[in-house]
Amino acid sequence: MTPVTTGEMPEEGVSARDIYALFRGLIVSGRLGANERLPTVRQTATDLGVAPGTAAKAYKMLEQEGLVVSRTAAGTRVAASAAVLPLPVLRRVRDLVDEATAAGSSADDVVDVLRALWPTASAVPTAMRVD
């Protein structure tokens, strides 16, 4: 579950539209993956200092757009069709970003390597691969 921080929201008068925009951005950017759980409406309201009804309205807007699926007792999760990447792939990408950052690698270098490997991975003979 991704925590909601007020640093990502306007300083005054957080609206349902603002909350909707925040979560929509997290979903379409891939920061929230398929089937990943959102905080509860109550938790989102508490984190952002808004009424639960305001958070609930934002979640309803996300649901109407098909970005999330809400189930009683199962919470609200990113819809499989809304995510850019499947959750297992997204987790591995996050791990890669964490490891590359810790090693001091630049995002540009990592992306360049991924682009170089992507189309040729299946064409490179197994004996020549560096794993």
Side-chain angles (χ1 to χ4, degrees):
M1 204 173 342
T2 300
V4 182
T5 63
T6 54
E8 299 166 328
M9 300 300 292
E11 288 187 27
E12 294 181 17
V14 176
S15 69
R17 183 87 180 143
D18 294 329
I19 298 168
Y20 158 82
L22 170 68
F23 281 112
R24 185 179 192 287
L26 292 171
I27 292 166
V28 300
S29 70
R31 290 179 62 196
L32 282 175
N35 296 314
E36 198 161 352
R37 190 170 178 183
L38 275 64
T40 64
V41 168
R42 186 179 309 267
Q43 186 62 54
T44 296
T46 299
D47 290 347
L48 299 177
V50 298
T54 301
K57 183 176 180 183
Y59 277 41
K60 192 66 166 173
M61 293 166 69
L62 292 164
E63 192 171 17
Q64 288 171 342
E65 192 173 332
L67 295 173
V68 299
V69 177
S70 295
R71 299 279 187 257
T72 304
T76 301
R77 297 183 178 272
V78 175
S81 61
V84 176
L85 296 171
L87 187 55
V89 174
L90 184 58
R91 284 186 179 137
R92 292 187 75 179
V93 170
R94 288 176 182 159
D95 290 344
L96 172 62
V97 169
D98 290 344
E99 289 179 33
T101 301
S105 302
S106 75
D108 288 338
D109 288 345
V110 173
V111 170
D112 288 345
V113 170
L114 286 171
R115 288 183 196 275
L117 291 175
W118 196 270
T120 60
S122 61
V124 175
T126 304
M128 295 179 63
R129 291 187 188 169
V130 177
D131 292 327

